[in-house]
Amino acid sequence: MFVQLLTFHSPYFNSDKAIEIKDDPTNVFDDFLQIAHGVRGTILLYRALELLKFAKTYNLSHVIQLVDQKTKLECWRIEIFIPDAIEYGLDHWMAYFLREQGTSEELAGNLKGKNVERMSGEMMKKCVKRFFEFVIPNKHFVC
């Protein structure tokens, strides 16, 4: 039944691919299925990355967006998750991270070596905008 409901959200489930559901003592896949169907609950940090992996595997962008929004609302410190934010396109997460940076040097240091060439265009625009805000203070830039 879950797979029938998911066909609405993802072409992955419209194919003939077999989906193996294993016993999961942490119930992360159960949480993923609930989120995929619109149930909004608490997303714990150690589960967020697993949820994102399932969402990417099954091509469910709305789950990625929900996890992105929820984690931003939880105000998690995200500096250590920059590669994941880039990998999954977590725009809200990145915006929160950028606001937390105090100087252009701090921002550059945190982004150094983080595979920024894989950023979405929207993320890259936000980073450039933030650099300009540091370099040219008291100007209002629109992204």
Side-chain angles (χ1 to χ4, degrees), residues 98 107 123-134 141 143:
L98 292 171
L107 177 56
M123 275 188 188
M124 187 62 74
K125 285 192 287 186
K126 288 176 183 178
C127 288
V128 170
K129 175 184 178 268
R130 188 65 175 142
F131 273 114
F132 278 138
E133 289 171 346
F134 288 127
F141 302 96
C143 224

Side-chain angles (χ1 to χ4, degrees), residues 40-53:
R40 292 185 183 228
T42 301
I43 298 173
L44 303 173
L45 177 59
Y46 72 94
R47 290 180 180 223
L49 294 176
E50 291 298 317
L51 294 170
L52 290 168
K53 288 176 188 175

